Amino acid sequence: LGKIIIIANEKGGAGKSTIATHLIIACLKAGKKVCAFDIDNRQQTTTRFMENRRVFNDTHGLSLIFPEFRSIELSKEEEIKARQEEDRERTNSALKAAAQDYELVFVDCPGADTAQARAAHGSADAIITPVNDSFIDFDLLAKIDPVTDEISAPNFYSQMVWEAKKNKAMKERAHLEWFVIRNRLSQIDARNKRRVGEAIEKLSKRIGFTILPGLSERVIFRELFPKGLTIMDLEDVGEANGMSLSNVAARQEIRNLVQFLNL
Amino acid sequence: LGKIIIIANEKGGAGKSTIATHLIIACLKAGKKVCAFDIDNRQQTTTRFMENRRVFNDTHGLSLIFPEFRSIELSKEEEIKARQEEDRERTNSALKAAAQDYELVFVDCPGADTAQARAAHGSADAIITPVNDSFIDFDLLAKIDPVTDEISAPNFYSQMVWEAKKNKAMKERAHLEWFVIRNRLSQIDARNKRRVGEAIEKLSKRIGFTILPGLSERVIFRELFPKGLTIMDLEDVGEANGMSLSNVAARQEIRNLVQFLNL
Ligand SMILES: Nc1ncnc2c1ncn2[C@@H]1O[C@H](COP(=O)(O)OP(=O)(O)OP(=O)(O)O)[C@@H](O)[C@H]1O
Ligand SMILES: Nc1ncnc2c1ncn2[C@@H]1O[C@H](COP(=O)(O)OP(=O)(O)OP(=O)(O)O)[C@@H](O)[C@H]1O
Ligand SMILES: [Mg+2]
Ligand SMILES: [Mg+2]
């Protein structure tokens, strides 16, 4: 059975779609069979990425690698509870079905609390949560006492993941792996970076997540979106020769991430 | 009557809460009477900022300046249409009431489509939309043809603002001002920055928004969140002497923004 990996964080702009698209392409290039879902039905960033990739590929006569890409139709039920229940069921069956045929099933989640997103948390084997290097982002994971600087209590997104972990343990006797990855790391910021890093380290021990090798703030991670490409594709479009130092470093950060995940 | 200014963008992490808190404090320091609303009921970043500020202020016996801070209680109606209608009405009356007593009413909106957020778009005199320097963020404003690089059509967030502009013109014969501000600008990224800049310039003429002086990616814009402070407060907490060049530049960016808005 394939592994269902969701890229999730209710915090907007943490880097879910960026990390989802980069992981999808990197795993495909490593020879894995990958199915990808975009359950951010409103913004559809990953859907748009795949559309851009298809247009770029066909216009230039390339043979870029593509995942099996699927979305999950939203329920049209009028009554809210019926609608959420139908969204939940459709998400569960779609993800389970994909796991029958694909080694890796990646799910890009919205920066909002939706029935589909909750169902994805329930069906996931692993959750990857990107976080900006900021106490604003950290706040959704845990509250920090403004006086003592100590972690005072887990906050609502941690609680939601804990709930999903507990349910998976009780219903399936299986372990829900939770990974947190620092994203958009600055090269120059020393003090804030250290403080956020320490807070994440402490929290990882306290509420049980694994810290993944982080990604720096790099233009290449966003510049290729209109073409549906990632840094890992550049060799296939003849642009890997004379790659800048920053791009070589970007590619290494993605490789480190994939390696650490041991997919 | 006071001016109702909402900081809004359905795109998550564009910088709404960061810009809202910095504008609120800067305007207070400029002697304005400010009322601030946080209608992101889930994440409550601006609410947390104000709580952190209060604790920091009282713990250190300071006399930091505070806005009148309000939130709008969510409806508890079971049926979805009734709930949205009640949210809409409460938001409208709360904002109108604040505009009776305060020169400036700032509203921090969520990175999601909620009834309160829609009502805020309907009541606003001005909308400030932050955007990361990225075609991922740009995508919510307008779609770009992957082949020609031309703007092909406005996307759903632009359409929502257009709807609000049209309604305001028809019902109140008043002009809804729309501002877009580039946020988290990189110092070093040349090509992507230029491309995104050109796309925003073209779009501003085509769909009618004013471009504000942007904010750079600077640690100081996020580092002071746990204390509920902004760069504009540092002189009041005795930390403005020996400010780094980057901090002096950060303060100037906020001043340019306030000046341009001519509040
Ligand atoms: N490591 C990075 N380096 C440079 N830019 C990045 C990086 N990660 C993300 N970005 C940019 O930051 C913004 C937010 O990223 P992204 O859209 O992937 O986040 P998200 O969590 O999917 O957001 P949402 O909650 O809206 O779905 C985008 O403009 C993206 O291009
Ligand atoms: N100019 C900036 N320089 C440095 N960091 C910034 C800047 N603007 C925003 N950030 C950081 O980027 C992240 C997103 O910013 P913020 O939370 O203000 O966005 P938002 O639009 O309110 O997000 P949401 O949609 O989740 O409400 C935060 O971690 C914040 O600290
Ligand atoms: Mg996304
Ligand atoms: Mg916010």
Side-chain angles (χ1 to χ4, degrees):
Chain A
L1 211 62
K3 198 169 181 181
I4 296 170
I5 303 168
I6 76 173
I7 296 87
N9 189 345
E10 210 174 312
K11 182 68 177 98
K16 298 176 286 296
S17 304
T18 297
I19 286 169
T21 48
H22 282 75
L23 274 177
I24 289 162
I25 302 307
C27 290
L28 283 169
K29 291 186 72 54
K32 301 287 184 187
K33 286 191 70 179
V34 178
C35 182
F37 283 86
D38 185 353
I39 62 169
D40 187 342
N41 291 291
R42 184 95 170 138
Q43 291 185 16
Q44 303 186 326
T45 305
T46 295
T47 306
R48 188 91 61 236
F49 176 91
M50 296 299 165
E51 290 171 351
N52 293 345
R53 191 177 180 84
R54 175 58 63 194
V55 171
F56 187 80
N57 183 70
D58 297 354
T59 308
H60 296 278
L62 302 170
S63 40
L64 293 172
I65 196 161
F66 284 82
E68 162 74 5
F69 183 71
R70 296 180 183 172
S71 38
I72 305 168
E73 204 190 328
L74 282 174
S75 164
K76 293 196 174 57
E77 288 285 342
E78 287 284 337
E79 197 275 312
I80 193 172
K81 281 196 168 55
R83 191 191 306 183
Q84 287 178 346
E85 182 53 26
E86 186 163 53
D87 281 337
R88 198 186 63 76
E89 278 187 35
R90 283 182 185 180
T91 302
N92 282 336
S93 24
L95 297 184
K96 297 293 181 223
Q100 299 285 346
D101 305 324
Y102 292 87
E103 304 178 75
L104 296 171
V105 181
F106 285 107
V107 186
D108 184 14
C109 297
D113 182 18
T114 66
Q116 283 189 346
R118 284 190 175 256
H121 281 73
S123 305
D125 298 307
I127 300 173
I128 297 176
T129 296
V131 183
N132 273 240
D133 226 28
S134 167
F135 282 109
I136 285 186
D137 281 49
F138 189 88
D139 189 58
L140 274 77
L141 298 179
K143 296 188 191 183
I144 292 200
D145 189 300
V147 185
T148 65
D149 256 358
E150 287 304 309
I151 292 169
S152 59
N155 204 2
F156 64 87
Y157 185 69
S158 300
Q159 290 163 352
M160 179 183 169
V161 175
W162 253 99
E163 210 47 41
K165 277 194 176 209
K166 202 176 68 180
N167 288 337
K168 194 170 185 80
M170 290 199 314
K171 291 181 188 168
E172 301 172 36
R173 295 193 183 182
H175 175 53
L176 172 57
E177 291 181 89
W178 189 16
F179 298 99
V180 169
I181 175 169
R182 290 164 79 185
N183 184 36
R184 304 191 76 172
L185 287 162
S186 156
Q187 314 284 25
I188 52 169
D189 153 33
R191 180 178 52 194
N192 185 60
K193 195 171 180 177
R194 181 176 43 78
R195 281 187 187 157
V196 175
E198 287 169 357
I200 290 179
E201 291 275 352
K202 280 188 195 165
L203 194 65
S204 85
K205 297 181 181 63
R206 188 165 148 170
I207 64 178
F209 55 76
T210 303
I211 299 171
L212 295 172
L215 296 185
S216 301
E217 169 82 11
R218 297 186 190 278
V219 179
I220 196 71
F221 287 135
R222 59 177 184 250
E223 191 174 13
L224 303 175
F225 174 78
K227 297 184 175 132
L229 299 174
T230 70
I231 180 73
M232 314 308 277
D233 295 301
L234 289 190
E235 53 202 17
D236 304 329
V237 299
E239 280 181 41
N241 296 328
M243 267 218 279
S244 67
L245 278 178
S246 177
N247 285 359
V248 171
R251 193 171 57 180
Q252 195 54 46
E253 286 184 347
I254 298 297
R255 282 179 179 159
N256 291 345
L257 174 58
V258 174
Q259 199 163 15
F260 194 102
L261 282 167
N262 207 10
L263 304 163
Chain B
L1 211 62
K3 197 167 181 181
I4 297 171
I5 303 168
I6 76 172
I7 296 86
N9 189 345
E10 210 175 311
K11 181 69 178 97
K16 299 176 285 295
S17 305
T18 297
I19 285 169
T21 48
H22 282 76
L23 274 177
I24 289 162
I25 302 308
C27 290
L28 283 168
K29 291 184 73 53
K32 301 288 184 187
K33 287 193 69 183
V34 178
C35 182
F37 283 86
D38 185 353
I39 62 168
D40 187 342
N41 290 293
R42 184 96 170 137
Q43 292 185 16
Q44 303 186 326
T45 305
T46 294
T47 306
R48 187 90 62 237
F49 175 90
M50 296 300 165
E51 290 170 352
N52 293 347
R53 190 178 181 82
R54 177 57 66 194
V55 172
F56 187 80
N57 184 68
D58 297 354
T59 308
H60 296 278
L62 303 170
S63 41
L64 292 172
I65 196 162
F66 284 81
E68 163 73 6
F69 182 72
R70 297 180 183 172
S71 37
I72 304 167
E73 203 190 332
L74 282 174
S75 165
K76 294 197 173 56
E77 287 285 342
E78 286 285 337
E79 196 276 312
I80 194 173
K81 281 198 168 57
R83 190 191 307 183
Q84 286 178 345
E85 183 52 28
E86 185 163 55
D87 279 339
R88 198 186 63 76
E89 277 187 36
R90 285 180 183 179
T91 301
N92 282 336
S93 24
L95 296 184
K96 296 292 182 223
Q100 300 284 348
D101 304 325
Y102 292 88
E103 303 178 75
L104 295 171
V105 181
F106 286 108
V107 187
D108 185 14
C109 297
D113 183 18
T114 66
Q116 284 189 344
R118 284 189 176 259
H121 281 74
S123 305
D125 299 306
I127 299 174
I128 297 176
T129 295
V131 183
N132 273 241
D133 226 28
S134 167
F135 282 110
I136 285 186
D137 281 48
F138 188 88
D139 189 57
L140 273 76
L141 298 178
K143 297 189 189 182
I144 293 201
D145 188 301
V147 185
T148 65
D149 256 358
E150 288 304 309
I151 292 170
S152 58
N155 205 2
F156 64 87
Y157 185 69
S158 299
Q159 289 163 353
M160 180 181 167
V161 175
W162 254 98
E163 211 46 43
K165 276 195 177 209
K166 202 176 67 181
N167 288 337
K168 193 169 186 82
M170 292 198 312
K171 291 181 188 167
E172 301 172 34
R173 295 194 183 181
H175 175 55
L176 172 58
E177 290 181 88
W178 189 17
F179 298 99
V180 170
I181 175 169
R182 290 164 79 185
N183 185 35
R184 304 192 76 172
L185 286 161
S186 156
Q187 314 283 25
I188 51 168
D189 153 32
R191 181 178 51 195
N192 185 60
K193 196 171 180 176
R194 181 175 44 76
R195 280 186 189 159
V196 175
E198 287 169 356
I200 290 178
E201 291 275 352
K202 279 188 196 166
L203 194 65
S204 86
K205 296 181 180 67
R206 188 163 146 170
I207 64 179
F209 56 76
T210 304
I211 299 170
L212 295 172
L215 297 184
S216 301
E217 169 81 13
R218 297 186 189 279
V219 179
I220 196 72
F221 287 135
R222 60 176 184 252
E223 192 173 13
L224 303 174
F225 173 77
K227 298 183 175 134
L229 299 175
T230 69
I231 181 74
M232 314 308 278
D233 295 302
L234 289 190
E235 54 201 15
D236 304 328
V237 298
E239 279 182 41
N241 298 327
M243 269 218 280
S244 66
L245 278 178
S246 177
N247 285 359
V248 170
R251 193 171 56 181
Q252 194 55 45
E253 287 185 344
I254 297 296
R255 282 179 180 159
N256 291 345
L257 174 58
V258 174
Q259 198 163 15
F260 194 104
L261 283 167
N262 207 10
L263 302 164

